[in-house]
Amino acid sequence: MNSPPEGSDIAALLNIFQYLDLEPKINIGQNLTMEKILGENDYFATFTPEQERMHAKLLAACAANPDFANIMLLGESVKLTDPRTGEPFPSGGLKAGFYGDLRTGTVYTAFRGTGGGEWLDNALAGGGLMPFSPQQEEALAFFDFYIEGAAAKMRELSGQEPGVIVTGHSKGGNKAQFIAMMTEHQDIVRAGISMDGQGMSPEAMGHMIDALGAENFDKIRTEKLASVCGENDFVHPFYHNMGSCVHEGRRLPSALIPPENTVYLKMDAGFGPSLRSLHVPDSYVTEAGRLTAVTEKGALVKVLENISDAVMNFPPPARALITESVMWAAQFARREAPLGGQKVDPARFTAGLNLFVFSLSAGLLDSLSALMLEVAQKAARAVAALVAGVMTRTGELITEAGKLGAEIKEMGRQSPELAGAEQLGTALTEAAAAEIARLPRAEMAETEMAKAQAQTQTGQAQTETTQAEQAPAKEARTPDGPRAAKPFAAMSFAERVEWAKERSGQSESRTPNAPAPPGRVASREL
């Protein structure tokens, strides 16, 4: 595949649209077009700066691309209920919509990326202890239940027999892959276009083979699935494996979507030095509403595939520890409880973090220069310190994460070899500064807070390691009394993890979202 599949332009724009928050009061029955919806602020809740940018790009796309301007809204999850319970979908979970192209009769189903409560679900999807995650199965139930109504509506409006394109960005792209493979409506699904979406675990692919048969499995994945990604997107390499996994005597592919069905696009460099800019849905969409030029796979993607290979090479119990620890870190950053109501297990978290750092080293040794490996090791230390600091409300840990981020940022500025290092460093320093600001004054004196914020934002302070080497260790105190005389910066990684593990019982408990109770039976009509 030398170019994105047919329908990718519209799919990319609809994936951007999914990140805007429609007002629940919107009247789906008015046959609203994108041009109408985007031109009326009454249809949206208040915009964040990122949503403002996306909204402006979509408006420009309407003016330049009449095909997109005339796409019709057929149904939105904000107006629909979970077919399994009859209740509204919980906040922080599934967000999706059905859209119609009157010219071609095509129905697009687009899924948003990870919601605030879905991060741990990503770990369940890749850990190998279950073939499919709850949110994947929820997306499939949503699609299978409502697609008939969407197709009937499109048939009535366009006079054509509809074909369906399932798409999504990030986790939404992963859901699109799953649906395109497992839906009971294979007769009308024309394509599954994953945009920056992570792959499937070997266990998931093995289960698909059992459910579909090997021949049908190969037919669907090669004829219907496609991956469209930014050249240095950092999510879609997740769950890539080295192709050494075997299911009932058959060697499984390294990824569900074949390499020949994967296209890389130039990313807009105008987003600035932010790590998130490498994974926003509009990074490879022009103001004219078209995809950017096709290019080669970026250096960052190659590195991340090696890391993923190392992680996926672990057997499921150990791999689940790694995926859980990484996704718990993301869940903490969002400060929202997982939809399943799980509570973090400090022992599993620290064990998984140790295994992840081991995987990081194993995955990078053959693919990185000494300078890039140094950045990766600093990043691993920074993430470990930041997560442990958030869990234990310890300013010293968070401050160290900010310092390491500043060092990474400066290394990226000075060396063109370090693709993405400046963005990574910026993200770490900003995250550390934000967490320092959240600490109660009882946990950090005002003067210490100001000092820590200045250090994380400017990166001018020397590392505590150097200070520890030049001066004798002094007893440090925390809000709950003295701890070991050895400064934190002078501890080995294993000592840091053990120290954080001992304190992790002090972290605040989080109230999980209550599961939706059984309710009325949902209607298939949109």
Side-chain angles (χ1 to χ4, degrees), residues 409-430:
K409 181 178 179 180
E410 186 60 27
M411 291 174 72
R413 284 176 174 171
Q414 295 181 3
S415 176
E417 173 192 356
L418 301 175
E422 184 176 355
Q423 293 95 324
L424 174 61
T426 299
L428 288 169
T429 55
E430 290 178 351

Side-chain angles (χ1 to χ4, degrees), residues 74-76 79-84 86 98 140-153 183-185 520-526:
L74 302 177
E76 269 280 348
K79 299 286 286 186
L80 301 172
T81 56
D82 187 334
R84 300 168 301 176
F98 297 97
L140 178 62
F142 170 83
F143 177 84
D144 278 349
F145 188 81
Y146 287 112
I147 190 58
E148 289 182 358
K153 193 170 184 178
T183 179
E184 62 189 35
H185 299 286
R520 63 187 184 281
V521 177
S523 167
R524 293 179 186 270
E525 294 184 1
L526 301 177

Side-chain angles (χ1 to χ4, degrees), residues 206-221:
H207 190 85
M208 289 176 180
I209 291 173
D210 291 342
L212 300 171
E215 183 177 349
N216 202 26
F217 170 80
D218 287 331
K219 180 179 175 62
I220 297 173
R221 66 182 286 265

Side-chain angles (χ1 to χ4, degrees), residues 368-377 411 414-418:
L368 293 187
S369 65
L371 194 60
M372 294 177 75
L373 186 59
E374 182 181 355
V375 167
Q377 291 171 337
M411 291 174 72
Q414 295 181 3
S415 176
E417 173 192 356
L418 301 175

Side-chain angles (χ1 to χ4, degrees), residues 359-518:
S359 302
L360 189 69
S361 301
L364 295 177
L365 284 176
D366 295 333
S367 60
L368 293 187
S369 65
L371 194 60
M372 294 177 75
L373 186 59
E374 182 181 355
V375 167
Q377 291 171 337
K378 284 180 180 288
R381 288 169 53 201
V383 171
L386 182 61
V387 173
V390 172
M391 289 178 66
T392 60
R393 298 183 300 177
T394 305
E396 181 184 4
L397 290 171
I398 301 172
T399 300
E400 187 194 10
K403 290 178 181 177
L404 289 167
E407 292 174 18
I408 293 169
K409 181 178 179 180
E410 186 60 27
M411 291 174 72
R413 284 176 174 171
Q414 295 181 3
S415 176
E417 173 192 356
L418 301 175
E422 184 176 355
Q423 293 95 324
L424 174 61
T426 299
L428 288 169
T429 55
E430 290 178 351
E435 294 301 332
I436 285 291
R438 290 190 179 102
L439 286 179
R441 292 180 185 273
E443 304 291 341
M444 173 175 282
E446 185 174 359
T447 54
E448 293 178 333
M449 185 183 297
K451 178 182 175 182
Q453 287 176 316
Q455 288 173 338
T456 57
Q457 290 169 354
T458 65
Q460 299 303 311
Q462 294 182 338
T463 65
E464 293 182 7
T465 302
T466 302
Q467 296 171 354
E469 292 172 352
Q470 295 175 348
K474 297 181 180 180
E475 182 179 60
R477 298 186 65 85
T478 64
D480 56 340
R483 62 169 173 80
K486 191 174 187 180
F488 183 83
M491 294 183 190
S492 68
F493 178 79
E495 290 172 327
R496 296 179 185 196
V497 170
E498 188 61 31
W499 181 80
K501 179 179 176 182
E502 291 173 357
R503 288 174 52 86
S504 60
Q506 302 170 19
S507 60
E508 293 181 341
S509 61
R510 299 171 184 270
T511 304
N513 292 336

